[in-house]
Amino acid sequence: MSIRPIEYRDGAIRMIDQRLLPTQEVWIRYRDYQSVAEAIRSMVVRGAPAIGVAAAFGVAFGARDIAAAGFGEFYAELEKVCATLAATRPTAVNLFWALDRMRTRARQLAGSPLDDIRTELLNEALAVAAEDEAINRAMGRHGAVLIPDGARILTHCNAGALATGGYGTALGVIRAAVESGKSVSVLADETRPFLQGARLTAWELHKDGIPVTLICDNMAGALMRQGEIDGVIVGADRIAANGDVANKIGTYSVAVLAREHGLPFYVAAPLSTIDRNIADGDQIPIEERDAIEVTHCGATRLAPEGIRVRNPAFDVTPARLVTAIITERGVVRGDYVAGLAQLFREHR
Ligand SMILES: CSC[C@H]1O[C@H](OP(=O)(O)O)[C@H](O)[C@@H]1O
């Protein structure tokens, strides 16, 4: 059973502190929306679907603590809770998808006793978490057929169980392929500067007994050229209506290299990561994180003081470089505008 990074119990969630992996497995309890927001911003919890799950519980905890006379006052305060959570990180659309889902649930219950609304919002957060793992398993089944027996698959960052409510998106496809009896090995880009590949993907795959080889980000091209990689699979933080994909910084470079070497480049993501409100990837906000993530590795300084630093946490891969988008509703290829729209029509 792969790890679930967020677990609800007795009115609180506990989340594994992903900043401390792989050397320490520390779980932290959260009972209020302010601390959940800080956990998202500081990347205790990270990964688009996992951020959505955490935010849903944040709204439920915020609702629990609102003292209001009527629904109007209650909902106005709930909007402030959502605004605090929305301000944590800008790129992963699952955050905003989850907040919208919780707001919608609250509006549907307008007129009900406030305690009933508070209970239903907690139930909605629990549903978001449970559904996410089921979605990932369905995505895995659709994607597993694309992974040949014996394949050596490169992945970038961590789109595994740690990035979701459980099982993973890109790594969920790997898990499903292995569970179907195929022999699959993974090459994990370390993924500078936050090192999600080295610290998280390598940890969770090794823990699950799936063969994983850690490489530096700058090795992918040479290993492709040497014929040591058969394909690429990554997650996503936001997919535009035309199939452009925002994902961890470095994903675009991997996609260009895969195209150069004639390798398939797959993106695994749930429908909650597809943002139909934006036409293309140029409209996706790209988070710029603190320079210290680049200049330091823990307490060790890697670069001179006072130099200029860029630290965009994501980049955008044009749809033309994407071989297929794997979702819980099936695999989309080619005409992503039509294909993604069809998924939503089917998924009413
Ligand atoms: C399954 S979504 C995982 C996605 O999220 C990661 O970003 P971060 O670790 O900064 O939250 C990365 O882009 C992964 O592909």
Side-chain angles (χ1 to χ4, degrees):
M1 168 65 75
S2 59
I3 190 171
R4 294 188 180 108
I6 305 169
E7 294 179 339
Y8 175 81
R9 188 178 301 164
D10 302 332
I13 55 173
R14 69 175 197 144
M15 297 196 285
I16 192 165
D17 187 342
Q18 299 191 35
R19 301 171 302 181
L20 303 180
L21 290 173
T23 54
Q24 299 176 68
E25 294 182 32
V26 173
W27 293 80
I28 303 173
R29 280 172 61 84
Y30 296 87
R31 297 186 56 84
D32 61 80
Y33 77 94
Q34 296 95 333
S35 61
V36 170
E38 178 55 22
I40 295 170
R41 192 201 58 75
S42 62
M43 295 177 72
V44 166
V45 59
R46 36 59 56 194
I51 290 171
V53 171
F57 279 109
V59 174
F61 295 161
R64 182 177 60 192
D65 297 340
I66 293 172
F71 181 78
E73 182 186 358
F74 172 85
Y75 193 77
E77 291 302 310
L78 197 70
E79 278 295 351
K80 294 175 185 175
V81 170
C82 291
T84 298
L85 290 159
T88 53
R89 298 186 71 192
T91 305
V93 71
N94 300 63
L95 170 60
F96 308 99
W97 169 86
L99 296 178
D100 286 345
R101 174 161 168 172
M102 298 299 283
R103 285 190 186 97
T104 300
R105 190 70 188 109
R107 287 198 299 271
Q108 289 169 344
L109 296 163
S112 302
L114 294 184
D115 276 350
D116 291 356
I117 298 176
R118 293 182 180 102
T119 300
E120 281 309 307
L121 287 176
L122 178 58
N123 289 337
E124 195 71 12
L126 290 164
V128 169
E131 289 167 16
D132 188 67
E133 180 168 347
I135 283 166
N136 295 334
R137 290 181 180 275
M139 192 185 319
R141 289 191 294 273
H142 287 301
V145 300
L146 301 173
I147 308 296
D149 186 18
R152 300 157 299 175
I153 303 296
L154 174 73
T155 192
H156 190 74
C157 197
N158 172 260
L162 286 167
T164 67
Y167 200 71
T169 56
L171 297 191
V173 170
I174 298 293
R175 286 190 167 96
V178 169
E179 289 164 6
S180 72
K182 293 177 181 174
S183 169
V184 180
S185 58
V186 175
L187 296 95
D189 273 348
E190 64 175 352
T191 316
R192 279 270 302 158
F194 205 77
L195 299 175
Q196 290 94 329
R199 298 188 302 104
L200 306 178
T201 292
W203 179 81
E204 72 168 83
L205 290 179
H206 187 63
K207 191 172 162 63
D208 286 1
I210 295 175
V212 55
T213 301
L214 176 62
I215 66 171
C216 297
D217 299 331
N218 54 12
M219 298 175 184
L223 295 181
M224 287 180 185
R225 187 166 180 270
Q226 291 164 195
E228 296 187 36
I229 295 172
D230 301 307
V232 180
I233 190 163
V234 298
D237 293 83
R238 192 181 303 221
I239 299 173
N242 72 339
D244 290 348
V245 175
N247 197 53
K248 183 53 50 197
I249 189 74
T251 302
Y252 170 59
S253 307
V254 170
V256 170
L257 287 168
R259 179 53 54 89
E260 168 66 14
H261 294 282
L263 299 177
F265 179 86
Y266 297 122
V267 175
L271 268 62
S272 54
T273 301
I274 299 168
D275 185 352
R276 292 185 290 164
N277 297 319
I278 58 168
D280 61 56
D282 291 342
Q283 300 170 52
I284 299 175
I286 301 298
E287 178 184 16
E288 186 84 17
R289 290 186 66 86
D290 194 300
I292 198 169
E293 293 179 356
V294 176
T295 60
H296 287 69
C297 186
T300 304
R301 170 177 284 278
L302 305 175
E305 287 198 54
I307 60 164
R308 285 190 295 275
V309 174
R310 285 298 313 279
N311 187 17
F314 302 95
D315 58 27
V316 175
T317 297
R320 59 181 170 78
L321 295 178
V322 178
T323 306
I325 296 176
I326 303 160
T327 77
E328 68 273 31
R329 302 289 296 178
V331 178
V332 179
R333 298 169 183 268
D335 182 352
Y336 290 117
V337 174
L340 295 176
Q342 179 64 19
L343 285 186
F344 283 92
R345 276 196 294 276
E346 291 167 354
H347 186 61
R348 287 196 188 287

